[in-house]
């Protein structure tokens, strides 16, 4: 149980010294459900973190009674770092992380109840798509009629809606076939001991829903639940929250969000969850954070005027004491090439005025919108880094190396075996299919691996991979030094497959090895890497050396929460910008 916060210590606490009145009011709220409407740049991370510190410092809850949910690993790490600086507490006892990270923690603790192997592995989005393609190939599904990426989106959307195949309303032949693929995909993942991102959420929700003892344990444990970016929650995430803290419970749910910043509807986010939360939890405390610490008033005036036209929203008017500053410019150009030249000229002009390129960003709706600009920057030798394009884990050489590690970790991970096997010269899709079928059919996939006979063209090179995987599957395989053996095997294949770019790609593998050294074991490394991958790779423009200056190019979604001195937005026209 927990005590009820009151206002008496507020004037004395140094935790509140740097907060404005609205932030302080939010931090010191009593232990009841609350909605904090945090406008852009209003210091919501500070409020969330200080709220936790306030509760702990005043004895209203212990570290084990805190559950804090964020939407990015960066935000979670920032909260943990700030809390560690504020108070001498062991933050490990708290559950602070993303929805997926917390679900992974939950399922690792209750793997048997969840019907998973203890060392289950997590598929990222690209691996999930590959798994869907493998299922469709086995089912002889026409990929022109049923596009794999669309099928993958269908499965993820159904899971985000809390629907298993049996729950989907399959009212037409197209949907019925999609449901068949969904069921086969689920069966395959279960056989191989893997879960995708949406499965982490859905299986946690189902286990909490169906196991009364487990549900009561966590509802009793977590007295205070804090949720960041509430406007970005989807239907399943809101249902998940209600499993941990149902309406009418003794717990306190502290929801922070801003319907004006809801930009993830395409991922299933439902901004209506905020209104549902207010109604279902009978929220009495709604506090608006409207002071902006990021921009000048002319920029806020433009933003306020645009968002005021939204039909349904919690009214907010952002303001700042920084009343002066340049007004936003609307620049008209003839075409994409003229736009690219203008942006490049403006970036160089600002640099001459003292604004380094790293403090300048160019934002766009989708990655393809920057193509003309990238060519112009390259032509003029202006260094840049692009975010929101190819991710670290999507690069071929990273996926190759991780496939070998994942196969070593899970002998039944057919997706990893399928990819790793085809790195062997002379072993193509047909031979890899024969291997995967043999592994899947065997009671002991290790024995099936030892007995596999590769095609004649691969017989010289196959034994090295088979031996390496067998060594990785041994419980005596040393971590992280086993990565040296994997890289030694992979290096000649990297050079054969990627030629002139092999040396550059080795830098990514160096980074991978540095990340591995930070984790206590292979399973933890593979899990953390999937949940929190690095951003850039050498397949992009490449991150220049740290002492170099470079312009930031980013999709708007990848830029959320970032700050720069100067920002240019491309293609602000109908059809490109909603």
């Amino acid at each position: 149980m927990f005590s009820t916060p009151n206002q008496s210590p507020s004037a004395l606490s140094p935790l509140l010294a740097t907060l404005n009145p609205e932030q302080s009011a939010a931090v010191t709220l009593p232990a009841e459900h609350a909605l904090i409407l945090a406008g852009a740049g209003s210091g919501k991370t500070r409020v969330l973190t200080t709220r936790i510190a306030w509760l702990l410092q005043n004895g209203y809850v212990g570290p084990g009674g805190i559950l804090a949910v964020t939407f990015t690993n960066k935000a979670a790490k920032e909260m943990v770092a700030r809390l560690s600086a504020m108070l001498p507490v062991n933050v490990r006892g708290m559950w602070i992380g993303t929805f997926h990270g917390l679900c992974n923690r939950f399922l690792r603790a209750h793997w048997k109840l969840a019907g998973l192997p203890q060392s289950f592995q997590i598929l990222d989005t690209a691996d999930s798509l590959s798994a869907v393609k493998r299922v469709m190939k086995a089912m002889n599904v026409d990929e022109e009629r049923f596009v794999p990426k669309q099928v993958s989106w269908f499965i993820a959307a159904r899971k985000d809606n809390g629907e298993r195949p049996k729950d989907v309303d399959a009212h037409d032949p197209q949907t019925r076939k999609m449901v068949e693929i969904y069921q086969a995909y689920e069966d395959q993942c279960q056989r191989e001991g893997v879960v995708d991102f949406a499965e982490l959420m859905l299986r946690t929700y189902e286990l909490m829903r169906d196991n009364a003892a487990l549900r009561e344990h966590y509802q009793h444990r977590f007295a205070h639940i804090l949720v960041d970016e509430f406007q970005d929650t989807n239907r399943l995430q809101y249902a998940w929250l209600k499993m941990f803290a149902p309406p009418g419970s003794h717990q306190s749910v502290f929801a922070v969000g801003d319907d004006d910043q809801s930009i993830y509807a395409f991922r299933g986010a439902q901004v209506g969850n905020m209104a549902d939360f207010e109604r279902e939890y009978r929220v009495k405390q709604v506090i608006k954070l409207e002071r902006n610490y990021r921009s000048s008033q002319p920029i806020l005036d433009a933003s306020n005027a645009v968002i005021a036209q939204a039909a349904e929203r919690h009214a907010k008017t952002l303001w700042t004491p920084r009343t002066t500053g340049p007004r936003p410019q609307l620049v008209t150009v003839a075409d994409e090439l003229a736009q690219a030249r203008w942006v490049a000229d403006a970036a160089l002009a600002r640099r001459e005025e003292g604004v380094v390129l790293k403090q300048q960003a160019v934002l766009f709706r989708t990655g393809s919108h920057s193509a003309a600009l990238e060519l112009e920057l390259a032509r003029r030798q202006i260094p840049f880094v692009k975010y929101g394009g190819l991710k670290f884990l999507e690069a071929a050489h990273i996926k190759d190396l991780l496939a070998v590690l994942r196969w070593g970790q899970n002998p039944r991970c057919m997706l990893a075996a399928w990819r790793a096997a085809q790195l062997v010269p002379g072993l193509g899709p047909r031979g890899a299919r024969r291997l995967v079928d043999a592994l899947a059919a065997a009671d002991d996939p290790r024995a099936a691996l030892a007995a596999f006979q590769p095609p004649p063209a691969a017989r010289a090179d196959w034994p090295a991979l088979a031996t390496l995987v067998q060594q990785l599957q041994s419980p005596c395989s040393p971590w992280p030094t086993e990565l040296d053996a994997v890289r030694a095997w992979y290096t000649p294949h990297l050079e054969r497959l990627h030629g002139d770019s092999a040396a550059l790609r080795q830098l990514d593998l160096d980074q991978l090895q540095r990340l591995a050294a930070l984790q206590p074991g292979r399973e933890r490394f593979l899990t953390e890497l999937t949940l929190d991958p690095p951003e850039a790779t050498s397949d992009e423009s490449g991150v220049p050396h740290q002492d170099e200056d470079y312009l930031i190019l980013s999709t708007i979604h990848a830029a959320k929460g970032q700050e720069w001195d100067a920002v240019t937005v491309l293609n602000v026209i109908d059809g490109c910008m909603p």
Side-chain angles (χ1 to χ4, degrees):
M1 294 302 289
F2 60 94
S3 306
T4 301
N6 54 60
Q7 302 294 321
S8 57
S10 62
L12 304 175
S13 175
L15 289 174
L16 310 180
T18 60
L19 303 183
N20 66 40
E22 292 75 25
Q23 290 174 331
S24 183
V27 165
T28 58
L29 280 172
E32 60 186 53
H33 306 310
L35 177 61
I36 313 302
L37 297 171
S42 62
K44 66 180 177 63
T45 303
R46 179 190 297 177
V47 168
L48 276 165
T49 308
T50 310
R51 170 69 172 175
I52 296 172
W54 167 261
L55 294 169
L56 293 169
Q57 186 182 65
N58 290 285
Y60 302 130
V61 69
I66 294 287
L67 172 65
V69 190
T70 69
F71 261 80
T72 67
N73 287 288
K74 179 183 176 184
K77 290 175 181 176
E78 184 178 348
M79 285 179 66
V80 169
R82 288 190 187 187
L83 276 170
S84 299
M86 286 179 173
L87 295 175
V89 295
N90 182 4
V91 295
R92 290 186 178 180
M94 296 179 237
W95 281 38
I96 299 177
T98 63
F99 277 106
H100 293 124
L102 293 174
C103 287
N104 172 66
R105 182 171 180 173
F106 177 90
L107 293 174
R108 296 285 172 194
H110 306 292
W111 57 273
K112 202 171 280 187
L113 286 173
L116 291 168
Q118 188 171 9
S119 60
F120 70 85
Q121 291 181 35
I122 302 169
L123 302 179
D124 63 20
T125 305
D127 285 336
S128 178
L129 176 60
S130 296
V132 167
K133 288 179 178 178
R134 195 153 54 87
V135 166
M136 292 175 63
K137 191 172 184 65
M139 295 174 65
N140 293 315
V141 175
D142 182 358
E143 291 193 6
E144 290 189 5
R145 186 178 172 196
F146 295 90
V147 179
K149 186 169 284 189
Q150 293 177 354
V151 174
S152 186
W153 289 341
F154 171 86
I155 292 171
R158 298 284 66 78
K159 289 188 179 187
D160 285 344
N161 218 31
E163 295 175 310
R164 291 296 183 190
K166 63 180 176 56
D167 304 318
V168 179
D169 182 14
H171 48 78
D172 60 77
Q174 182 89 359
T175 307
R176 283 195 288 273
K177 176 56 73 173
M178 298 270 256
V179 171
E180 283 182 37
I181 300 169
Y182 180 7
Q183 183 63 65
Y185 170 78
E186 278 214 326
D187 294 342
Q188 175 179 281
C189 289
Q190 187 64 30
R191 281 195 309 271
E192 298 179 6
V194 297
V195 297
D196 57 29
F197 286 139
E199 185 69 23
L200 287 171
M201 283 293 311
L202 183 53
R203 198 165 295 214
T204 298
Y205 165 75
E206 290 174 339
L207 186 51
M208 285 287 285
R209 180 196 64 194
D210 300 336
N211 191 310
L214 204 61
R215 188 168 64 249
E216 289 168 10
H217 165 77
Y218 282 102
Q219 288 176 2
H220 181 76
R221 172 177 176 172
F222 295 125
H224 287 268
I225 297 179
L226 303 93
V227 185
D228 192 10
E229 306 283 13
F230 201 84
Q231 77 280 353
D232 290 332
T233 54
N234 61 33
R235 178 178 174 180
L236 179 59
Q237 288 163 341
Y238 184 45
W240 179 96
L241 172 66
K242 290 195 281 189
M243 287 295 106
F244 282 88
S249 70
H250 66 276
Q251 299 151 285
S252 165
V253 178
F254 187 88
V256 180
D258 180 11
D259 45 1
D260 292 345
Q261 297 184 64
S262 180
I263 61 173
Y264 291 110
F266 73 98
R267 293 183 186 170
Q270 296 191 353
V271 70
N273 285 347
M274 294 179 71
D276 292 343
F277 172 69
E278 272 193 272
R279 184 185 71 256
E280 294 178 14
Y281 283 79
R282 298 180 180 178
V283 174
K284 298 175 184 176
Q285 300 285 355
V286 178
I287 294 178
K288 297 180 182 180
L289 305 181
E290 297 174 297
R291 178 175 176 176
N292 178 282
Y293 291 87
R294 190 176 287 161
S295 300
S296 60
Q297 195 60 48
I299 295 174
L300 296 180
D301 288 341
S303 300
N304 287 330
V306 170
I307 199 64
Q309 299 177 61
E312 298 178 10
R313 61 185 289 263
H314 291 82
K316 293 173 293 297
T317 302
L318 299 183
W319 66 275
T320 177
R322 297 170 58 191
T323 56
T324 60
R327 296 175 63 189
Q329 286 181 274
L330 180 61
V331 178
T332 303
V333 292
D335 52 32
E336 277 196 302
L337 295 178
Q339 178 178 246
R341 287 193 293 270
W342 188 93
V343 171
D345 289 341
L348 294 176
R350 291 191 201 103
R351 187 173 65 175
E352 290 299 314
E353 294 168 2
V355 182
V356 297
L357 293 177
K358 285 182 183 178
Q359 284 302 318
Q360 301 183 48
V362 183
L363 307 183
F364 32 86
R365 179 81 189 284
T366 66
S368 61
H369 285 183
S370 65
L373 176 59
E374 291 176 51
L375 289 173
E376 180 68 12
L377 295 173
R379 186 182 69 80
R380 295 167 68 164
Q381 298 185 330
I382 300 173
F384 66 93
V385 172
K386 182 179 178 182
Y387 297 97
L390 183 70
K391 299 293 192 298
F392 187 81
L393 295 187
E394 294 172 1
H397 49 296
I398 297 296
K399 294 184 78 67
D400 290 345
L401 200 76
L402 291 179
V404 178
L405 286 176
R406 286 188 172 122
W407 191 9
Q409 182 66 22
N410 179 1
R412 292 199 178 278
C413 186
M414 301 300 111
L415 190 65
W418 167 263
R419 184 178 188 102
Q422 291 182 78
L423 293 172
V424 175
L427 209 164
R430 186 177 298 176
R433 165 60 57 192
R434 190 161 54 82
L435 168 67
V436 165
D437 289 345
L439 296 175
D443 292 332
D444 181 0
R446 295 176 180 86
L449 171 62
F452 177 71
Q453 292 297 317
R459 282 178 186 160
D461 295 292
W462 168 254
L465 175 60
T467 300
L468 174 63
V469 173
Q470 288 165 340
Q471 290 171 348
L472 293 173
Q473 291 174 355
S474 165
C476 301
S477 183
W479 178 263
T481 53
E482 63 185 27
L483 261 176
D484 293 331
V486 178
R487 287 191 67 176
W489 173 83
Y490 181 59
T491 293
H493 301 296
L494 178 72
E495 293 169 349
R496 172 176 56 83
L497 293 167
H498 298 290
D500 293 343
S501 68
L504 195 59
R505 292 170 188 263
Q506 286 283 13
L507 299 178
D508 284 339
L509 301 184
D510 290 342
Q511 182 184 4
L512 194 70
Q513 197 146 9
R514 286 192 293 271
L515 293 171
L518 300 175
Q519 299 297 341
R522 188 201 305 153
E523 178 189 304
R524 180 74 174 272
F525 167 67
L526 292 172
T527 298
E528 291 298 322
L529 190 67
T530 306
L531 291 174
D532 186 18
E535 286 293 334
T537 80
S538 57
D539 274 12
E540 299 174 291
S541 58
V543 178
H545 297 298
Q546 292 299 307
D547 59 350
E548 290 185 5
D549 196 14
Y550 48 87
L551 185 66
I552 304 295
L553 273 55
S554 174
T555 62
I556 290 173
H557 291 96
K560 196 165 187 287
Q562 301 295 317
E563 298 182 28
W564 296 282
D565 291 342
V567 174
T568 302
V569 184
L570 298 184
N571 297 339
V572 185
I573 54 175
D574 288 342
C576 291
M577 189 70 64

